Amino acid sequence: MTAPLLQTLFPNIDDWSELGRACIDTLLMLGGSLALTVLIGLPLGVLLYLTGRGQLRAMPKLYGIASLLVNVLRSVPFIILMIVLMPVTYALVGTKLGVRGAIPPLVIGAAPFFARLVETALREVQQGVIEAAQAMGASTWQIVRHVLLPEARAGLAAGITVTAIALVGYTAMGGAIGSGGLGDLAYRYGYLSYKSDYMLVTVVLLVVLVQLLQMFGDRIVARYKRH
Amino acid sequence: MIRFLDVHKSYRVDGREIPALHPFRLDIVDGEVFGIIGHSGAGKSTLIRLINLLERPSGGRILIGDTEMTALDEPALRAQRRRIGMIFQHFNLLASQTVADNVAFPLRLAGERDAAKIHSRVGELLERVGLAEHAGKYPSQLSGGQKQRVGIARALANRPEILLCDEATSALDPQTTAAVLELLAAINRELKLTIVLITHEMDVVRRICDRVAVLDAGRIVEHGTVADVFLHPQHPTTRRFVNEALPEEAASAGAPLAEVRGRKLRLTFRGATTLSPVLSRVMRESGVDFNLLAGRIDHIKELPYGQLTLALEGANADAAVAALRDAGIEIEELP
């Protein structure tokens, strides 16, 4: 019953399992790259925060270098970054294609972006609370671990949400150079082969994904903000 | 004893050295409540932060007991800071943690891992500040006075020898201020810890301090026991602070004083003399008439005092003044 209806609505989509496969690929790319982005971006953001002017471990030179690196990586359009990084990707994961090949450029593209969001979120923490921790004899590491990160958790959760959504966009772009996933389908079938129903379905799926991420993120932020 | 030896502090602003505190010496005695009063920008928050080295002095030495704070390396300084509690104007509690976790925080920082020990110490501290039933709440659910009590409990967690109070009551209403000051005074009495507080309110000094230093534009312009400074202020800044604390007297001691006939005196009674009928006895015996121009009877911490402005009329005025002096009353002649 359902199959004929789907067939009339989307005449060009003959293999729905391929779409399912693409969905899973997108989710794998998103999950893998988001995890690594947070893993790399969080310490980088903390470094930016701590070494900034007037902060706990102010180091203007180190801050300048880290800041420049972040800005350079952020200013390269992602599609270019993917191409430029191909040799690096190959060296890291042994392939330039598929989910594995997509993750290194996704992480390198998103981690600096996330690091800036982390830096901004940490700056929102009241200076007085940090001073109180110092007065209690806290080390810099203890301040990061027990004051900055817990106090900034609402801002950090918002930053992860924004980054996840940006990554959805990046994964879709990755389709253009063979990384697989929904973007790949939209590009190959929808754009190159004029099968606009493919385009429609993938876009709807992406919209749903972004919507879910935003709702989930907002809920966590609201919970953290209550106190 | 907290000792400042030729300590000074300046800040670099746009390549120029701006002095915040001019070189000074100061001793704060164990177990006393020492107040530092000054207007904003006078340097008092820099001064209090020199004690736990949140601010490093530009020169000079700071000693707590036998420990030269200014000579310590980072880990040793952190260990010393655990022996100095601090509370703040804006409380500076961790918003993401419950009241109990805020109080437990310094214990955990000091390396305490035993949950049962932490739990019992936190219970004890919250009991002491009267917040036992609020342990599970978050700071956002508390009033200002309650937040400051959490701050006090947190500051006392590691059984410090010194408690620094950075404008601790400035964000509170008068009633809450009185309650928090009472709590601080009780803690000072019971735990015998030294309290150093900074404030811009003479009333705070009058209520709980033993000694006070008046800070004006980076210099200590006057210091001594609160009674001495409060009853006989020398420096114009000190007088202004005292007058702020006694607005009614300041108002009545203005222009009309010059028009009053007779010999004008300010009498200061301290302690027991405040409570005995010295004035009426002397006046009756000397046959001198007096005209009461202004006056106040109050307490400085636990010390009762009275300060009266009189005009004396009569032949025996000199004898009356001598008799009052003999009875232990401090007398200043007014123009």
Side-chain angles (χ1 to χ4, degrees):
Chain A
M1 181 65 213
T2 43
L5 178 66
L6 285 174
Q7 225 155 31
T8 16
L9 280 174
F10 309 107
N12 294 316
I13 305 179
D14 35 31
D15 186 2
W16 284 88
S17 70
E18 195 184 10
L19 249 168
R21 181 72 232 157
C23 269
I24 290 168
D25 280 354
T26 292
L27 290 176
L28 284 176
M29 279 190 282
L30 176 64
S33 60
L34 184 62
L36 286 169
T37 296
V38 171
L39 221 59
I40 293 169
L42 191 65
L44 185 58
V46 170
L47 177 85
L48 284 171
Y49 171 83
L50 287 177
T51 57
R53 212 152 69 109
Q55 299 297 349
L56 284 172
R57 291 274 177 248
M59 282 179 264
K61 279 197 186 125
L62 182 58
Y63 180 81
I65 293 167
S67 187
L68 180 72
L69 180 76
V70 163
N71 288 348
V72 166
L73 286 174
R74 286 189 60 193
S75 50
V76 179
F78 183 66
I79 191 92
I80 310 284
L81 191 71
M82 287 191 94
I83 295 162
V84 171
L85 282 177
M86 275 183 168
V88 180
T89 304
Y90 191 77
L92 283 174
V93 294
T95 174
K96 299 172 195 168
L97 300 174
V99 171
R100 282 207 309 173
I103 284 179
L106 285 173
V107 173
I108 291 167
F113 172 68
F114 180 61
R116 278 289 183 219
L117 297 179
V118 170
E119 185 192 8
T120 315
L122 297 181
R123 283 205 185 143
E124 292 294 311
V125 176
Q126 295 287 318
Q127 214 51 50
V129 182
I130 296 163
E131 191 184 36
Q134 279 182 293
M136 284 181 246
S139 63
T140 303
W141 164 245
Q142 284 176 318
I143 290 174
V144 170
R145 168 76 185 71
H146 299 291
V147 179
L148 286 170
L149 296 180
E151 289 293 292
R153 58 190 190 175
L156 294 175
I160 291 174
T161 308
V162 171
T163 306
I165 288 167
L167 277 170
V168 171
Y170 288 174
T171 59
M173 238 187 276
I177 55 164
S179 70
L182 290 168
D184 175 50
L185 282 194
Y187 181 68
R188 276 193 295 128
Y189 297 144
Y191 177 65
L192 296 179
S193 319
Y194 303 104
K195 295 175 179 168
S196 54
D197 45 356
Y198 261 104
M199 189 81 94
L200 181 69
V201 171
T202 52
V203 167
V204 167
L205 285 171
L206 288 172
V207 167
V208 169
L209 179 58
V210 167
Q211 200 61 34
L212 285 175
L213 285 170
Q214 188 68 55
M215 272 165 51
F216 183 66
D218 284 350
R219 194 166 293 184
I220 290 177
V221 171
R223 200 171 68 208
Y224 284 161
K225 271 210 172 140
R226 231 182 294 155
H227 302 300
Chain B
M1 178 107 93
I2 305 169
R3 314 196 72 172
F4 295 89
L5 298 171
D6 302 313
V7 172
H8 61 97
K9 171 79 184 176
S10 50
Y11 294 100
R12 265 191 102 72
V13 182
D14 299 330
R16 282 192 309 145
E17 292 286 323
I18 308 290
L21 285 171
H22 297 280
F24 69 100
R25 283 175 168 255
L26 185 67
D27 290 347
I28 296 171
V29 182
D30 286 343
E32 73 174 332
V33 182
F34 192 90
I36 297 159
I37 188 166
H39 293 292
S40 53
K44 55 189 191 301
S45 59
T46 303
L47 205 165
I48 200 167
R49 280 165 175 74
L50 288 171
I51 297 173
N52 56 3
L53 256 67
L54 286 176
E55 295 276 5
R56 288 219 160 251
S58 308
R61 298 188 302 150
I62 296 156
L63 284 88
I64 297 182
D66 299 325
T67 311
E68 186 173 342
M69 297 295 285
T70 33
L72 298 176
D73 60 9
E74 270 284 323
L77 176 61
R78 287 203 297 271
Q80 282 298 318
R81 280 177 175 165
R82 295 196 185 115
R83 300 168 52 205
I84 306 172
M86 188 164 189
I87 59 173
F88 302 87
Q89 179 174 5
H90 298 297
F91 325 120
N92 296 347
L93 302 176
L94 296 168
S96 61
Q97 311 288 319
T98 61
V99 166
D101 284 332
N102 266 286
V103 177
F105 185 45
L107 299 171
R108 295 195 174 113
L109 285 179
E112 183 59 71
R113 293 274 174 277
D114 187 335
K117 266 191 197 164
I118 292 177
H119 184 79
S120 80
R121 179 75 183 136
V122 168
E124 206 174 297
L125 288 158
L126 289 179
E127 192 72 48
R128 181 67 198 81
V129 299
L131 288 178
E133 70 274 30
H134 298 289
K137 288 191 179 170
Y138 285 87
S140 59
Q141 296 166 298
L142 302 179
S143 70
Q146 288 172 328
K147 283 182 201 168
Q148 196 56 288
R149 284 166 188 274
V150 177
I152 293 170
R154 179 176 73 172
L156 295 178
N158 282 322
R159 304 178 198 279
E161 289 136 51
I162 298 167
L163 177 63
L164 307 178
C165 307
D166 175 17
E167 296 270 9
T169 57
S170 299
L172 305 175
D173 62 62
Q175 251 182 323
T176 315
T177 294
V180 167
L181 291 178
E182 237 163 71
L183 176 62
L184 289 174
I187 286 165
N188 166 252
R189 274 196 311 273
E190 290 162 23
L191 307 178
K192 313 254 177 291
L193 50 61
T194 312
I195 295 183
V196 183
L197 65 85
I198 62 171
T199 181
H200 60 272
E201 291 169 311
M202 197 61 182
D203 209 46
V204 169
V205 171
R206 184 177 67 79
R207 280 168 196 254
I208 70 161
C209 291
D210 298 302
R211 292 198 305 143
V212 62
V214 181
L215 207 56
D216 183 54
R219 288 177 212 278
I220 295 176
V221 292
E222 200 164 340
H223 71 107
T225 67
V226 174
D228 283 342
V229 172
F230 190 77
L231 296 172
H232 304 293
Q234 304 299 317
H235 193 271
T237 303
T238 317
R239 287 208 194 107
R240 225 174 302 135
F241 277 120
V242 171
N243 285 340
E244 278 167 20
L246 312 168
E248 57 272 54
E249 188 181 1
S252 61
L257 203 57
E259 290 152 31
V260 178
R261 285 187 306 126
R263 193 166 154 190
K264 275 152 278 178
L265 305 172
R266 177 155 59 226
L267 277 53
T268 305
F269 306 72
R270 289 197 209 188
T273 58
T274 318
L275 310 170
S276 60
V278 182
L279 183 61
S280 79
R281 182 176 52 77
V282 168
M283 294 302 156
R284 192 175 61 244
E285 285 168 4
S286 60
V288 172
D289 286 320
F290 71 91
N291 185 10
L292 193 52
L293 301 172
R296 183 185 180 87
I297 295 163
D298 208 334
H299 284 78
I300 295 171
K301 210 170 180 183
E302 285 107 29
L303 175 82
Y305 77 94
Q307 208 160 39
L308 302 175
T309 307
L310 306 176
L312 298 190
E313 285 182 58
N316 273 336
D318 281 343
V321 169
L324 288 170
R325 280 218 167 94
D326 285 345
I329 294 169
E330 296 150 41
I331 297 179
E332 288 162 274
E333 300 266 357
L334 299 178

